[in-house]
Every structure is written in C-alpha cells, then in structure tokens.
Amino acid sequence: MPEVADSPPPAKERKRPTVPESLAGTALAEPLNVTTREAAFISGVPESTLEKLRHFRRADGPPWFRVGRAVYYPTAGLRQWAAVRTQGGAR
C-alpha cells in the first residue's frame, strides 16, 4: 500500500499578545506600533498610499520606523497625523 505524503505544516502566523482583562478598554490595550496593513485599516488610507508616502520620504506622511526589514507606525503618531488632516465637521 503506497504511503500518502503528509501535507506541509501550515505557515506560522504572527501572534499578537493578548490583552489582560484588567487592561481591556484602557489606553494600554491599544498596540504601541502597527504594521502597514494595520495602519491602513486604522487611518482609512490605502496601504499603497502609505507605502508611497514612505518610499518618497514625503514630509506630509505619518511617522514610521524600521526594525530590520519590518516597517511599523506608532499608533499615537497615526492618530495625530489623521487629526491634523481632518477637515470640516459639524457646524
């Protein structure tokens, strides 16, 4: 009887640390830094736009930094960047 080859193990997923219940709903429950994909979700700006702002070193882009090849955006900097660019509102 021929043996069936096992399927390869699933790719490792990056696991975020879970937030303790005592910190849930507090400012500490939010991550300090996020990836480009997460920054796009938080800010509502497409990933490609964030990448272009970063690539061309545009001064009007959100703050970011590298750790090795990984790119991160500080969440506090993202929120401040979005607040400065908010226009209009209720009258």
Side-chain angles (χ1 to χ4, degrees):
M1 196 174 199
E3 291 185 29
V4 178
D6 291 332
S7 61
K12 286 188 176 181
E13 292 185 26
R14 182 176 153 217
K15 292 185 178 181
R16 285 212 175 262
T18 57
V19 177
E21 287 186 32
S22 60
L23 296 178
T26 67
L28 294 177
E30 180 179 83
L32 294 176
N33 305 304
V34 294
T35 63
T36 303
R37 176 169 287 158
E38 295 163 335
F41 179 78
I42 291 169
S43 65
V45 175
E47 281 184 67
S48 61
T49 300
L50 292 173
E51 291 166 352
K52 288 173 188 167
L53 289 169
R54 194 174 66 236
H55 176 76
F56 293 111
R57 308 267 190 219
R58 295 283 306 262
D60 58 345
W64 60 277
F65 65 94
R66 284 189 190 273
V67 176
R69 294 176 68 182
V71 175
Y72 295 99
Y73 294 84
T75 52
L78 271 176
R79 295 198 188 287
Q80 184 180 18
W81 177 74
V84 168
R85 280 148 191 80
T86 302
Q87 298 177 1
R91 293 183 184 211

